[in-house]
Amino acid sequence: MSLAGEERKRSIIAMLGEHGKVNVSELSRHFEVSTETIRRDLDELEKDNKLKKVYGGAVKHKADIELAYSEREIIYAEEKRIIGALAANLIDDNDVIVIDEGSTAMQILHCLDGKRNLTIFVCSIPTLTLLIDYYNRGSFDGKIIFIGGEVNPKHLRVSGPIAEKIMEDFYVNKSFISVDGVSLTNGLTSYDYDRALFTRKLIRSAEIVIALADESKIGKRTVAKIAELGQVGYVVSNIAPPNGWRQGLQDLGISWINPK
C-alpha cells in the first residue's frame, strides 16, 4: 500500500478512537477516494485486529485491556526506542524530571549519555533497576528518587494514595508521562483508574508535561480519564498526527514531535 494509503488507515483508526464507529460513505467523502478503496482499508485493518467490520462501516473492538509489563515491552519495541530517543532530546543538564512507568518511558534511560546533574523520580521497578545499573556502570551520575506506594506485581509499578501523597511534596521541571490513549476530543486516558489518578499528580507537579505514545495509542480512548490534551506541552510519537489534528494541536499550544 502507498504511503498515502497507510496514512489514511492511521487516520481511520484515529477517527474510530474518537467516535467509536466509522461509515464507509462518510470516509469515502472525507478522503476523496472510492468506497471500494475504503472497504479494502477496513478489510486490512480487520485482518490486523484493529477494528471490527459491520454493515456499512466498522466499530471499535470491545475487549481492550492493559497487557502485563512483560507483554508490553516486546510490542512496538522499535517504535518505543525511537520515542525514547526523541524524548531524551528534551532533557537538559540540571533538570529535575519524572519518568513515568511503562516500556516506552523506560527507553529514555538509554539516551541519557552526556546529560549532567539530573534528578530523576521513577515509579517503575524495571526503570529503577536499569537506572541503578547505569549509575553503577558510571553512565549516569545524577540523583535517583524512587516514588513509594502500593506495588502492582503485574505491571511492576507503584501507584495509589501513598505515591500520590509523595508527589504532592515535589515540583519537577518535566514529567514524561505514559498514556494508553491520546484523543483530540477525549484527551489522555488510561486503562487503570489508580494509575490515571497518579499520572494527574505527575502532571500537576511539572512545569512541562511530555506525553509519550506509540502509534497504537493515537486516536484511542480507554476507560479512565487522565487529563485534557491541552494540559501537556508535547506529544512524542513515532508517527505524525492524524489528518485533521494539526489545527487542534496548534490551538491547544501542543508541540508534536515525531521522526522527520
Side-chain angles (χ1 to χ4, degrees):
M1 176 175 283
S2 67
L3 183 60
E6 290 298 332
E7 177 62 26
R8 187 173 60 248
K9 288 201 296 182
R10 284 197 292 265
S11 295
I12 290 171
I13 292 299
M15 294 167 73
L16 200 57
E18 296 279 352
H19 307 294
K21 62 181 179 180
V22 291
N23 177 274
V24 169
S25 298
E26 292 174 359
L27 292 175
S28 174
R29 289 192 295 271
H30 179 80
F31 293 110
E32 299 181 342
V33 296
S34 68
T35 55
E36 288 75 15
T37 296
I38 294 298
R39 289 192 180 93
R40 282 197 298 272
D41 288 345
L42 298 182
D43 283 340
E44 292 171 8
L45 288 167
E46 186 175 49
K47 288 177 183 176
D48 290 339
N49 205 34
K50 299 291 181 63
L51 52 75
K52 177 177 175 57
K53 286 182 64 183
V54 296
Y55 181 76
V59 296
K60 291 172 64 176
H61 277 299
K62 296 293 184 186
D64 247 354
I65 60 171
E66 183 178 14
L67 299 175
Y69 183 88
S70 59
E71 297 173 273
R72 283 186 284 142
E73 68 178 341
I74 61 175
I75 297 174
Y76 291 100
E78 181 58 30
E79 290 83 356
K80 291 173 180 178
R81 282 191 286 272
I82 291 169
I83 293 168
L86 291 172
N89 290 333
L90 298 173
I91 299 172
D92 299 311
D93 289 351
N94 306 308
D95 268 346
V96 179
I97 66 174
V98 170
I99 296 181
D100 199 359
E101 71 88 28
S103 52
T104 304
M106 186 176 179
Q107 296 302 316
I108 294 173
L109 302 187
H110 301 306
C111 305
L112 294 181
D113 283 349
K115 310 288 185 181
R116 293 290 174 257
N117 196 35
L118 300 179
T119 298
I120 302 182
F121 288 77
V122 296
C123 57
S124 159
I125 296 169
T127 300
L128 173 66
T129 302
L130 182 59
L131 199 51
I132 291 172
D133 183 51
Y134 279 168
Y135 184 93
N136 289 331
R137 283 199 253 162
S139 57
F140 173 72
D141 66 352
K143 184 183 293 185
I144 305 165
I145 300 176
F146 184 61
I147 304 166
E150 182 178 352
V151 175
N152 183 314
K154 179 179 179 181
H155 299 298
L156 303 178
R157 63 183 180 227
V158 298
S159 60
I162 298 172
E164 292 168 30
K165 180 61 178 174
I166 289 171
M167 285 311 302
E168 288 177 1
D169 293 333
F170 293 97
Y171 294 104
V172 300
N173 301 120
K174 295 157 188 169
S175 282
F176 294 85
I177 63 169
S178 300
V179 298
D180 296 315
V182 178
S183 164
L184 201 57
T185 303
N186 301 298
L188 307 173
T189 52
S190 172
Y191 288 113
D192 183 89
Y193 184 64
D194 284 342
R195 180 186 164 201
L197 291 178
F198 178 63
T199 304
R200 288 180 199 172
K201 294 292 185 182
L202 302 187
I203 291 172
R204 290 170 186 163
S205 71
E207 296 172 5
I208 299 171
V209 181
I210 302 103
L212 312 176
D214 66 63
E215 62 189 78
S216 69
K217 316 290 175 50
I218 306 303
K220 188 173 186 177
R221 181 196 66 195
T222 56
V223 64
K225 179 72 170 285
I226 297 172
E228 299 294 341
L229 190 55
Q231 290 182 250
V232 308
Y234 297 85
V235 174
V236 184
S237 182
N238 64 297
I239 61 169
N243 288 340
W245 280 37
R246 293 187 185 278
Q247 187 59 52
L249 293 169
Q250 184 175 331
D251 292 344
L252 293 170
I254 297 171
S255 298
W256 188 287
I257 299 176
N258 62 272
K260 303 302 181 185

